[in-house]
PDB file of all heavy atoms in Angstrom:
ATOM      1  N   GLY B 217     208.023  72.172  -2.367  1.00  0.00           N
ATOM      2  CA  GLY B 217     208.959  73.173  -2.893  1.00  0.00           C
ATOM      3  C   GLY B 217     209.977  72.431  -3.732  1.00  0.00           C
ATOM      4  O   GLY B 217     209.629  71.876  -4.784  1.00  0.00           O
ATOM      5  N   ILE B 218     211.213  72.411  -3.238  1.00  0.00           N
ATOM      6  CA  ILE B 218     212.265  71.687  -3.955  1.00  0.00           C
ATOM      7  C   ILE B 218     212.489  70.313  -3.308  1.00  0.00           C
ATOM      8  O   ILE B 218     212.417  69.279  -3.973  1.00  0.00           O
ATOM      9  CB  ILE B 218     213.593  72.480  -3.931  1.00  0.00           C
ATOM     10  CG1 ILE B 218     213.411  73.856  -4.568  1.00  0.00           C
ATOM     11  CG2 ILE B 218     214.701  71.670  -4.613  1.00  0.00           C
ATOM     12  CD1 ILE B 218     213.296  73.868  -6.063  1.00  0.00           C
ATOM     13  N   ALA B 219     212.759  70.312  -2.005  1.00  0.00           N
ATOM     14  CA  ALA B 219     213.126  69.061  -1.328  1.00  0.00           C
ATOM     15  C   ALA B 219     211.996  68.029  -1.374  1.00  0.00           C
ATOM     16  O   ALA B 219     212.240  66.850  -1.656  1.00  0.00           O
ATOM     17  CB  ALA B 219     213.521  69.356   0.125  1.00  0.00           C
ATOM     18  N   GLY B 220     210.772  68.476  -1.114  1.00  0.00           N
ATOM     19  CA  GLY B 220     209.627  67.565  -1.049  1.00  0.00           C
ATOM     20  C   GLY B 220     209.418  66.752  -2.322  1.00  0.00           C
ATOM     21  O   GLY B 220     209.424  65.515  -2.300  1.00  0.00           O
ATOM     22  N   PRO B 221     209.225  67.410  -3.468  1.00  0.00           N
ATOM     23  CA  PRO B 221     209.004  66.672  -4.716  1.00  0.00           C
ATOM     24  C   PRO B 221     210.189  65.810  -5.138  1.00  0.00           C
ATOM     25  O   PRO B 221     210.001  64.730  -5.697  1.00  0.00           O
ATOM     26  CB  PRO B 221     208.790  67.778  -5.758  1.00  0.00           C
ATOM     27  CG  PRO B 221     208.409  68.976  -4.995  1.00  0.00           C
ATOM     28  CD  PRO B 221     209.046  68.859  -3.654  1.00  0.00           C
ATOM     29  N   MET B 222     211.423  66.285  -4.855  1.00  0.00           N
ATOM     30  CA  MET B 222     212.603  65.488  -5.220  1.00  0.00           C
ATOM     31  C   MET B 222     212.588  64.165  -4.459  1.00  0.00           C
ATOM     32  O   MET B 222     212.853  63.105  -5.008  1.00  0.00           O
ATOM     33  CB  MET B 222     213.885  66.259  -4.895  1.00  0.00           C
ATOM     34  CG  MET B 222     214.074  67.509  -5.721  1.00  0.00           C
ATOM     35  SD  MET B 222     214.576  67.202  -7.431  1.00  0.00           S
ATOM     36  CE  MET B 222     216.231  66.619  -7.178  1.00  0.00           C
ATOM     37  N   MET B 223     212.257  64.259  -3.166  1.00  0.00           N
ATOM     38  CA  MET B 223     212.221  63.049  -2.357  1.00  0.00           C
ATOM     39  C   MET B 223     211.047  62.158  -2.766  1.00  0.00           C
ATOM     40  O   MET B 223     211.178  60.934  -2.837  1.00  0.00           O
ATOM     41  CB  MET B 223     212.145  63.407  -0.875  1.00  0.00           C
ATOM     42  CG  MET B 223     212.205  62.181   0.006  1.00  0.00           C
ATOM     43  SD  MET B 223     212.545  62.583   1.717  1.00  0.00           S
ATOM     44  CE  MET B 223     212.357  60.950   2.442  1.00  0.00           C
ATOM     45  N   ALA B 224     209.907  62.786  -3.058  1.00  0.00           N
ATOM     46  CA  ALA B 224     208.727  62.024  -3.480  1.00  0.00           C
ATOM     47  C   ALA B 224     209.045  61.233  -4.750  1.00  0.00           C
ATOM     48  O   ALA B 224     208.690  60.058  -4.889  1.00  0.00           O
ATOM     49  CB  ALA B 224     207.553  62.971  -3.723  1.00  0.00           C
ATOM     50  N   ARG B 225     209.750  61.881  -5.668  1.00  0.00           N
ATOM     51  CA  ARG B 225     210.124  61.242  -6.929  1.00  0.00           C
ATOM     52  C   ARG B 225     211.010  60.007  -6.670  1.00  0.00           C
ATOM     53  O   ARG B 225     210.731  58.913  -7.171  1.00  0.00           O
ATOM     54  CB  ARG B 225     210.894  62.245  -7.805  1.00  0.00           C
ATOM     55  CG  ARG B 225     211.338  61.695  -9.149  1.00  0.00           C
ATOM     56  CD  ARG B 225     212.393  62.567  -9.800  1.00  0.00           C
ATOM     57  NE  ARG B 225     213.672  62.513  -9.085  1.00  0.00           N
ATOM     58  CZ  ARG B 225     214.791  63.106  -9.502  1.00  0.00           C
ATOM     59  NH1 ARG B 225     214.782  63.817 -10.609  1.00  0.00           N
ATOM     60  NH2 ARG B 225     215.906  63.018  -8.812  1.00  0.00           N
ATOM     61  N   ASP B 226     212.053  60.212  -5.862  1.00  0.00           N
ATOM     62  CA  ASP B 226     213.027  59.131  -5.664  1.00  0.00           C
ATOM     63  C   ASP B 226     212.445  57.949  -4.895  1.00  0.00           C
ATOM     64  O   ASP B 226     212.753  56.801  -5.184  1.00  0.00           O
ATOM     65  CB  ASP B 226     214.271  59.671  -4.948  1.00  0.00           C
ATOM     66  CG  ASP B 226     215.073  60.618  -5.844  1.00  0.00           C
ATOM     67  OD1 ASP B 226     214.697  60.768  -7.026  1.00  0.00           O
ATOM     68  OD2 ASP B 226     216.050  61.208  -5.357  1.00  0.00           O
ATOM     69  N   VAL B 227     211.610  58.241  -3.900  1.00  0.00           N
ATOM     70  CA  VAL B 227     211.041  57.149  -3.098  1.00  0.00           C
ATOM     71  C   VAL B 227     209.964  56.403  -3.892  1.00  0.00           C
ATOM     72  O   VAL B 227     209.882  55.173  -3.854  1.00  0.00           O
ATOM     73  CB  VAL B 227     210.483  57.684  -1.758  1.00  0.00           C
ATOM     74  CG1 VAL B 227     209.792  56.568  -0.970  1.00  0.00           C
ATOM     75  CG2 VAL B 227     211.603  58.298  -0.916  1.00  0.00           C
ATOM     76  N   ALA B 228     209.177  57.150  -4.674  1.00  0.00           N
ATOM     77  CA  ALA B 228     208.135  56.517  -5.497  1.00  0.00           C
ATOM     78  C   ALA B 228     208.775  55.643  -6.573  1.00  0.00           C
ATOM     79  O   ALA B 228     208.293  54.551  -6.883  1.00  0.00           O
ATOM     80  CB  ALA B 228     207.244  57.579  -6.127  1.00  0.00           C
ATOM     81  N   LYS B 229     209.882  56.126  -7.113  1.00  0.00           N
ATOM     82  CA  LYS B 229     210.590  55.397  -8.163  1.00  0.00           C
ATOM     83  C   LYS B 229     211.055  54.026  -7.671  1.00  0.00           C
ATOM     84  O   LYS B 229     211.107  53.060  -8.435  1.00  0.00           O
ATOM     85  CB  LYS B 229     211.793  56.223  -8.621  1.00  0.00           C
ATOM     86  CG  LYS B 229     212.344  55.803  -9.958  1.00  0.00           C
ATOM     87  CD  LYS B 229     213.435  56.768 -10.397  1.00  0.00           C
ATOM     88  CE  LYS B 229     213.985  56.351 -11.752  1.00  0.00           C
ATOM     89  NZ  LYS B 229     214.965  57.323 -12.243  1.00  0.00           N
ATOM     90  N   ALA B 230     211.366  53.956  -6.381  1.00  0.00           N
ATOM     91  CA  ALA B 230     211.816  52.685  -5.797  1.00  0.00           C
ATOM     92  C   ALA B 230     210.642  51.755  -5.495  1.00  0.00           C
ATOM     93  O   ALA B 230     210.834  50.648  -4.981  1.00  0.00           O
ATOM     94  CB  ALA B 230     212.623  52.963  -4.528  1.00  0.00           C
ATOM     95  N   GLY B 231     209.440  52.214  -5.791  1.00  0.00           N
ATOM     96  CA  GLY B 231     208.280  51.335  -5.679  1.00  0.00           C
ATOM     97  C   GLY B 231     207.443  51.501  -4.417  1.00  0.00           C
ATOM     98  O   GLY B 231     206.532  50.713  -4.163  1.00  0.00           O
ATOM     99  N   PHE B 232     207.724  52.525  -3.630  1.00  0.00           N
ATOM    100  CA  PHE B 232     206.941  52.712  -2.404  1.00  0.00           C
ATOM    101  C   PHE B 232     205.845  53.753  -2.605  1.00  0.00           C
ATOM    102  O   PHE B 232     205.957  54.618  -3.471  1.00  0.00           O
ATOM    103  CB  PHE B 232     207.874  53.099  -1.250  1.00  0.00           C
ATOM    104  CG  PHE B 232     208.850  52.012  -0.933  1.00  0.00           C
ATOM    105  CD1 PHE B 232     210.163  52.062  -1.403  1.00  0.00           C
ATOM    106  CD2 PHE B 232     208.445  50.894  -0.215  1.00  0.00           C
ATOM    107  CE1 PHE B 232     211.054  51.027  -1.144  1.00  0.00           C
ATOM    108  CE2 PHE B 232     209.335  49.858   0.049  1.00  0.00           C
ATOM    109  CZ  PHE B 232     210.640  49.923  -0.426  1.00  0.00           C
ATOM    110  N   SER B 233     204.786  53.643  -1.787  1.00  0.00           N
ATOM    111  CA  SER B 233     203.674  54.576  -1.949  1.00  0.00           C
ATOM    112  C   SER B 233     203.996  55.885  -1.222  1.00  0.00           C
ATOM    113  O   SER B 233     204.447  55.886  -0.080  1.00  0.00           O
ATOM    114  CB  SER B 233     202.375  53.961  -1.413  1.00  0.00           C
ATOM    115  OG  SER B 233     202.463  53.719  -0.029  1.00  0.00           O
ATOM    116  N   VAL B 234     203.775  56.978  -1.936  1.00  0.00           N
ATOM    117  CA  VAL B 234     204.146  58.298  -1.414  1.00  0.00           C
ATOM    118  C   VAL B 234     202.985  59.270  -1.621  1.00  0.00           C
ATOM    119  O   VAL B 234     202.350  59.271  -2.678  1.00  0.00           O
ATOM    120  CB  VAL B 234     205.385  58.863  -2.158  1.00  0.00           C
ATOM    121  CG1 VAL B 234     205.757  60.237  -1.615  1.00  0.00           C
ATOM    122  CG2 VAL B 234     206.569  57.922  -2.063  1.00  0.00           C
ATOM    123  N   LEU B 235     202.747  60.090  -0.598  1.00  0.00           N
ATOM    124  CA  LEU B 235     201.805  61.197  -0.752  1.00  0.00           C
ATOM    125  C   LEU B 235     202.568  62.497  -0.506  1.00  0.00           C
ATOM    126  O   LEU B 235     203.238  62.658   0.511  1.00  0.00           O
ATOM    127  CB  LEU B 235     200.640  61.083   0.241  1.00  0.00           C
ATOM    128  CG  LEU B 235     199.701  62.297   0.296  1.00  0.00           C
ATOM    129  CD1 LEU B 235     198.960  62.506  -1.027  1.00  0.00           C
ATOM    130  CD2 LEU B 235     198.682  62.162   1.438  1.00  0.00           C
ATOM    131  N   LEU B 236     202.461  63.417  -1.478  1.00  0.00           N
ATOM    132  CA  LEU B 236     203.087  64.731  -1.362  1.00  0.00           C
ATOM    133  C   LEU B 236     201.970  65.766  -1.256  1.00  0.00           C
ATOM    134  O   LEU B 236     201.109  65.838  -2.137  1.00  0.00           O
ATOM    135  CB  LEU B 236     203.946  64.996  -2.608  1.00  0.00           C
ATOM    136  CG  LEU B 236     204.573  66.383  -2.776  1.00  0.00           C
ATOM    137  CD1 LEU B 236     205.614  66.663  -1.693  1.00  0.00           C
ATOM    138  CD2 LEU B 236     205.203  66.513  -4.169  1.00  0.00           C
ATOM    139  N   VAL B 237     201.975  66.542  -0.172  1.00  0.00           N
ATOM    140  CA  VAL B 237     200.921  67.556  -0.006  1.00  0.00           C
ATOM    141  C   VAL B 237     201.521  68.950   0.075  1.00  0.00           C
ATOM    142  O   VAL B 237     202.659  69.130   0.523  1.00  0.00           O
ATOM    143  CB  VAL B 237     200.052  67.313   1.263  1.00  0.00           C
ATOM    144  CG1 VAL B 237     199.355  65.967   1.183  1.00  0.00           C
ATOM    145  CG2 VAL B 237     200.865  67.436   2.546  1.00  0.00           C
ATOM    146  N   ASP B 238     200.763  69.934  -0.368  1.00  0.00           N
ATOM    147  CA  ASP B 238     201.186  71.327  -0.234  1.00  0.00           C
ATOM    148  C   ASP B 238     199.950  72.178   0.015  1.00  0.00           C
ATOM    149  O   ASP B 238     198.901  71.948  -0.583  1.00  0.00           O
ATOM    150  CB  ASP B 238     201.907  71.809  -1.486  1.00  0.00           C
ATOM    151  CG  ASP B 238     202.688  73.090  -1.226  1.00  0.00           C
ATOM    152  OD1 ASP B 238     202.065  74.156  -1.026  1.00  0.00           O
ATOM    153  OD2 ASP B 238     203.936  73.020  -1.217  1.00  0.00           O
ATOM    154  N   LYS B 239     200.102  73.158   0.889  1.00  0.00           N
ATOM    155  CA  LYS B 239     198.929  73.983   1.231  1.00  0.00           C
ATOM    156  C   LYS B 239     198.533  74.922   0.092  1.00  0.00           C
ATOM    157  O   LYS B 239     197.401  75.381   0.020  1.00  0.00           O
ATOM    158  CB  LYS B 239     199.189  74.760   2.523  1.00  0.00           C
ATOM    159  CG  LYS B 239     200.245  75.841   2.418  1.00  0.00           C
ATOM    160  CD  LYS B 239     200.471  76.498   3.786  1.00  0.00           C
ATOM    161  CE  LYS B 239     201.538  77.585   3.703  1.00  0.00           C
ATOM    162  NZ  LYS B 239     201.847  78.172   5.001  1.00  0.00           N
ATOM    163  N   LYS B 240     199.474  75.208  -0.804  1.00  0.00           N
ATOM    164  CA  LYS B 240     199.189  76.147  -1.884  1.00  0.00           C
ATOM    165  C   LYS B 240     198.263  75.521  -2.929  1.00  0.00           C
ATOM    166  O   LYS B 240     198.300  74.327  -3.170  1.00  0.00           O
ATOM    167  CB  LYS B 240     200.484  76.579  -2.559  1.00  0.00           C
ATOM    168  CG  LYS B 240     201.439  77.328  -1.627  1.00  0.00           C
ATOM    169  CD  LYS B 240     202.616  77.905  -2.377  1.00  0.00           C
ATOM    170  CE  LYS B 240     203.620  76.889  -2.848  1.00  0.00           C
ATOM    171  NZ  LYS B 240     204.488  76.371  -1.785  1.00  0.00           N
TER     172      LYS B 240
END
Side-chain angles (χ1 to χ4, degrees):
Chain B
I218 301 286
M222 294 285 290
M223 184 165 174
R225 180 196 69 175
D226 291 355
V227 176
K229 198 174 180 176
F232 297 100
S233 63
V234 180
L235 172 64
L236 173 66
V237 299
D238 196 290
K239 68 183 180 184
K240 297 188 288 284

